[in-house]
């Protein structure tokens, strides 16, 4: 009997709310539902509202008005979650079934976010986000988030500067292309605010592939498409006497790097550090012969705008390797070949080819590069306003409008999975000479 006395009032409350949201004859006279006291009531009400939203037909005369009204009710219901206890109950009830919207709660239970599709397709509010956070007096406060809305599916929590940092992890779609983003937030006197804790003083990370967040969110693997393969840039939480932030994984180079290391110094148009061909002997200028008896013949068909590399190995294997556009052989290290071809006529793709496995291991655009015994050292341009405040970088006054800044990275080409590491070096150079090869 005690169970019935509790269950019946709860059921009546929810049914009363559902009839208000479920009525097809919407009117401004229908009040916004009052705040719910139980998490299950919130979830049940939201589920019904989203069911109504999904069942609406776009060709009805009052479609926009109805969609707007339902979205207002959804927003008001979420904003009515005003205590940590209710937020905890909402999380528990949400986890019991599938829903037409997303909800995620941080590990410490103090930050949450709702995501839903508003069905307002022509509006910038097609995807809606509402975050909830606990103020200093533990009251739950609703707030909007910065930037374009995300399909938020997780909030990671990590300790930084003796306070929690919240990493909002989600995805978005634009022109049918999915991308992923992590936004960093902290709670301060002004509420929930973004914090620039990522490289280049950014408060967000973006990628075409999803992130792997590990080790209590203190280690992030940023995945990238390198041709048909995946490369990773590790980011790890670093703390010093000034502040804590995420830094790119570092690798050390023996020498200071500048433009001169990338300027090709051989007559073969090969990357510095590469094995060089022997004399051509009786071969054409498009044929390269190496000390280990590997022969590479490269031809270009202008009518088809395609190149073909013909490899003859010491074991008399014959390998054909096609490329779109005009390509060049720009390097060799053991059983690895490096080819370059232009990307949109602006930047060069570097292709790593594994002779043993007969496959292109990866492809990535690089403005300039050189080879070491185990790595490709390359550059990526960086805008001046992203330069570290504590580093003075000398520039040649004669560079003029071609002046730019480059960060230096390295990737070990013998590893099956490319891991990109920062060398902690930045130099000033010219865009005029930033090409891998003379095509």
């Amino acid at each position: 009997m005690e169970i019935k006395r509790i269950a019946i009032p709860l059921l009546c409350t929810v049914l009363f709310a559902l009839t208000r949201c479920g009525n097809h004859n919407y009117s401004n006279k229908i009040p916004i539902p009052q705040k719910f006291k139980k998490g299950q009531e919130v979830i049940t009400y939201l589920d019904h509202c989203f069911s109504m939203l999904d069942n609406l037909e776009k060709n009805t005369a009052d479609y926009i008005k109805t969609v707007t009204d339902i979205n207002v009710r959804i927003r008001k219901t979420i904003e009515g979650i005003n205590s940590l206890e209710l937020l905890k109950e909402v999380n528990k009830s949400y986890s019991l079934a599938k829903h037409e919207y997303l909800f995620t709660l941080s590990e410490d239970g103090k930050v949450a976010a709702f995501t839903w599709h508003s069905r307002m397709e022509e509006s910038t509010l097609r995807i809606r986000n509402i975050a909830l956070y606990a103020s200093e007096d533990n009251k739950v406060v609703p707030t909007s988030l910065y930037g374009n809305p995300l399909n938020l599916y997780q909030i990671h929590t990590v300790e930084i500067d003796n306070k929690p940092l919240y990493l909002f992890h989600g995805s978005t779609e634009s022109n049918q292309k999915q991308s992923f983003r992590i936004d960093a937030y902290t709670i301060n006197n002004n509420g929930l605010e973004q914090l620039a804790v990522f490289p280049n003083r950014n408060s967000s990370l973006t990628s075409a592939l999803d992130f792997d967040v590990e080790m209590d969110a203190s280690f992030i693997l940023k995945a990238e498409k390198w041709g048909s393969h995946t490369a990773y840039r590790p980011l790890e939480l670093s703390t010093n006497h000034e502040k804590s932030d995420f830094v790119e994984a570092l690798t050390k180079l023996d020498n200071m790097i500048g433009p001169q290391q990338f300027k090709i110094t051989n007559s073969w148009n090969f990357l510095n550090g590469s094995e060089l061909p022997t004399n051509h002997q009786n071969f054409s200028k498009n044929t390269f012969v190496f000390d280990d008896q590997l022969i590479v013949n490269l031809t270009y068909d202008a009518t088809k705008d395609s190149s073909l590399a013909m490899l003859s190995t010491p074991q008399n294997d014959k390998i054909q390797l096609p490329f779109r556009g005009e390509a060049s052989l720009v390097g060799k290290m053991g059983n690895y070949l490096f080819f370059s071809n232009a990307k949109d006529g602006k930047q060069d793709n570097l292709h790593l080819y594994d002779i043993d496995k007969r496959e292109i291991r990866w492809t990535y655009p690089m403005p300039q590069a050189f080879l070491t015994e185990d790595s490709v050292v390359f550059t990526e341009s960086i805008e001046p306003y992203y330069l570290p405040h504590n580093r003075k970088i000398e520039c040649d006054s004669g560079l003029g409008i071609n002046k730019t800044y480059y960060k230096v990275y390295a990737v070990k080409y013998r590893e099956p999975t490319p891991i990109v590491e920062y060398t902690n070096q930045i130099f000033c150079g010219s865009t005029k000479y930033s090409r891998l090869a003379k095509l």
Side-chain angles (χ1 to χ4, degrees), residues 233-405:
R233 296 186 189 239
L235 301 172
E236 50 193 353
L237 187 63
S238 175
T239 302
N240 55 37
H241 64 281
E242 294 180 352
K243 65 173 184 175
S244 300
D245 52 17
F246 285 88
V247 299
E248 298 168 290
L250 296 178
T251 187
K252 185 177 180 181
L253 295 179
D254 294 333
N255 303 317
M256 291 298 295
I257 303 300
Q260 63 278 3
Q261 274 75 28
F262 297 96
K263 186 177 180 180
I264 294 175
T265 57
N266 59 79
S267 60
W268 298 96
N269 194 32
F270 275 30
L271 302 177
N272 291 341
S274 168
E275 298 175 19
L276 298 178
T278 59
N279 291 338
H280 282 313
Q281 298 176 355
N282 295 326
F283 294 97
S284 70
K285 66 177 183 178
N286 295 323
T287 301
F288 305 88
V289 183
F290 295 91
D291 284 336
D292 59 3
Q293 299 181 354
L294 175 71
I295 301 174
V296 180
N297 176 261
L298 194 63
T299 58
Y300 172 66
D301 187 338
T303 60
K304 296 181 180 179
D305 190 28
S306 63
S307 299
L308 181 65
M310 300 285 293
L311 280 61
S312 178
T313 70
Q315 295 77 28
N316 292 320
D317 294 328
K318 304 298 180 182
I319 304 171
Q320 295 187 13
L321 184 60
F323 293 94
R324 288 185 296 176
E326 190 173 1
S328 294
L329 177 66
V330 296
K332 178 182 182 298
M333 292 293 280
N335 288 328
Y336 297 95
L337 295 176
F338 300 86
F339 293 90
S340 172
N341 70 335
K343 179 186 179 184
D344 302 326
K346 297 180 180 179
Q347 198 173 33
D348 298 327
N349 278 322
L350 185 67
H351 309 270
L352 171 64
Y353 182 76
D354 187 329
I355 300 175
D356 291 336
K357 293 187 176 182
R358 300 191 179 190
E359 68 173 8
I360 292 181
R361 293 276 292 274
W362 48 255
T363 299
Y364 191 70
M366 297 179 181
Q368 47 196 350
F370 68 83
L371 304 180
T372 68
E373 183 61 31
D374 63 352
S375 298
V376 178
V377 179
F378 66 98
T379 63
E380 290 183 350
S381 60
I382 179 176
E383 297 293 341
Y385 47 81
Y386 284 145
L387 293 173
H389 291 306
N390 59 348
R391 296 181 64 170
K392 185 178 180 180
I393 301 170
E394 299 292 337
C395 281
D396 185 343
S397 58
L399 292 176
I401 61 173
N402 295 315
K403 182 179 74 173
T404 190
Y405 295 91

